[in-house]
Amino acid sequence: MSGNFTNSCIEALEPSNRFLVSAVVYGLVLAVSLPLNTVSLWILLRSHGLRSSCAVLMVNLAASDLLLALSLPLRVYFYATLQWPFGVGTCTAAIMLFRINIRTSSIFITLISVDRLVALVFPLRSRSLRTTACACKCCAVVWILVTILCIPEIIHLHNKLTECTIYTPCFEFRTSRKHSLTMALSQAIFLLILLVVNIVSTVVVIVALRKRPSTGAAKVNNRMNVILIFAVNMLVFMIFFMPFTLQLLIGLMDNHADVLRGLICLASVNCCLDPLIYYFSLDSFWQDKGKRQTDVGTYSLSRTMERS
């Protein structure tokens, strides 16, 4: 990762243990996330389909994570060999898949939190809003909007990488300071807003659960599942998304290339943790849909979601 923002086209990268560690980390993330998200997506589609807003959001989150996982072999190869023979277009696509995953995953996780919030606090009034059609439209808007907003970034990155005629640093490439500052600041504000939404949703849900009576081990377990859903969501934001984005801003003022490289590796781990959201969000996640029964009379948030 070059610390020189005015001339990122370097002749070559020298082998280092730091690059080797990045290759190992990405390799481990790939080994875990690819099968995990593939199996999760298969289970979601086979056992739950697109029959609820909750399932639709999770299918899209799994698809986003799977796209990131599919780009990780390129990162492993680059950091293991410090060579990039695949061309500028492939490099641009691999870099943008990571950035798009951060943005789409953060949105889908927030939508999942909001979906749970309205399902718990407004179980009856929200039924007309929490439909499969509405969830599909929201997800389509997210993909289209994020893609459109990334087009200028894609063009800029591709053009700058094209200028590197001798050696393509790919994942160690950094654009101009001004462009990087704009991107980092926009993403930081965007993620901060989503984090606030998740915090508010978590507080409201905890307050709502405390006001409702709880009797029996089943309802206690359901409450724990609801709390764990929001805990995982907050964990993803506070550990994987925000440090990476904030370090982008700090790194522009000083050279923290090694720290930023480590936080990018850490951010990629989010695709390994997201399947926990599926497990705690949908009752009988591992069961066939024909064996699943929904109890609409309980305060279980995950059961309420299955109704729509």
Side-chain angles (χ1 to χ4, degrees):
M1 182 178 301
S2 174
N4 187 348
F5 286 87
T6 59
N7 184 19
S8 295
C9 295
I10 55 182
E11 291 185 0
L13 290 169
E14 296 181 359
S16 169
N17 289 333
R18 293 170 294 183
F19 297 133
L20 184 59
V21 169
S22 296
V24 172
V25 171
Y26 286 126
L28 292 174
V29 173
L30 172 64
V32 174
S33 65
L34 185 58
L36 199 60
N37 282 287
T38 301
V39 171
S40 296
L41 186 59
W42 179 76
I43 292 174
L44 285 168
L45 292 173
R46 179 179 179 274
S47 298
H48 299 273
L50 301 178
R51 300 181 301 106
S52 69
S53 59
C54 178
V56 170
L57 294 173
M58 291 181 183
V59 165
N60 281 270
L61 179 58
S64 176
D65 290 337
L66 191 58
L67 287 175
L68 173 61
L70 291 174
S71 72
L72 291 181
L74 296 174
R75 288 184 178 265
V76 174
Y77 177 86
F78 175 79
Y79 282 109
T81 65
L82 297 182
Q83 300 296 323
W84 187 260
F86 306 112
V88 172
T90 305
C91 177
T92 303
I95 293 174
M96 291 309 301
L97 277 177
F98 172 80
R99 298 180 183 180
I100 289 174
N101 170 261
I102 295 294
R103 294 156 191 173
T104 55
S105 291
S106 60
I107 295 174
F108 289 137
I109 288 173
T110 303
L111 289 175
I112 289 170
S113 294
V114 173
D115 183 69
R116 278 154 187 66
L117 171 65
V118 297
L120 180 66
V121 180
F122 311 105
L124 297 179
R125 284 179 288 178
S126 65
R127 291 185 63 185
S128 59
L129 180 64
R130 293 180 54 256
T131 62
T132 300
C134 183
C136 288
K137 292 177 182 177
C138 287
C139 292
V141 169
V142 170
W143 284 109
I144 293 172
L145 188 59
V146 170
T147 302
I148 291 175
L149 292 177
C150 286
I151 289 177
E153 192 175 349
I154 293 172
I155 295 173
H156 179 83
L157 180 60
H158 184 274
N159 291 339
K160 291 299 181 181
L161 281 169
T162 305
E163 296 176 1
C164 301
T165 56
I166 300 177
Y167 176 78
T168 303
C170 198
F171 301 111
E172 291 295 305
F173 179 83
R174 291 295 171 267
T175 56
S176 64
R177 184 182 297 270
K178 181 179 179 180
H179 182 269
S180 297
L181 178 61
T182 302
M183 186 272 290
L185 185 59
S186 300
Q187 181 161 308
I189 294 174
F190 170 73
L191 287 179
L192 185 60
I193 293 173
L194 295 183
L195 178 60
V196 170
V197 173
N198 277 273
I199 293 174
V200 172
S201 299
T202 302
V203 172
V204 172
V205 166
I206 291 176
V207 171
L209 287 175
R210 285 185 176 180
K211 290 182 178 180
R212 294 187 174 187
S214 177
T215 58
K219 288 188 177 182
V220 171
N221 289 335
N222 287 332
R223 284 172 178 262
M224 288 303 300
N225 279 358
V226 173
I227 294 174
L228 284 172
I229 293 167
F230 284 90
V232 172
N233 288 352
M234 295 292 294
L235 189 66
V236 170
F237 264 90
M238 300 183 72
I239 294 182
F240 300 112
F241 293 162
M242 289 307 299
F244 155 71
T245 303
L246 294 177
Q247 183 58 36
L248 280 177
L249 294 173
I250 297 174
L252 291 174
M253 305 173 203
D254 197 0
N255 186 14
H256 296 283
D258 293 333
V259 175
L260 183 57
R261 185 185 301 113
L263 290 177
I264 292 175
C265 288
L266 180 63
S268 67
V269 180
N270 85 87
C271 60
C272 298
L273 191 62
D274 286 342
L276 290 177
I277 300 176
Y278 318 143
Y279 180 80
F280 291 116
S281 298
L282 295 173
D283 269 354
S284 305
F285 177 72
W286 300 102
Q287 295 182 13
D288 183 76
K289 60 184 177 182
K291 299 180 181 179
R292 240 180 16 250
Q293 294 182 349
T294 302
D295 181 8
V296 298
T298 68
Y299 290 118
S300 169
L301 179 58
S302 53
R303 293 187 186 277
T304 305
M305 290 187 172
E306 290 294 321
R307 296 179 62 199
S308 58

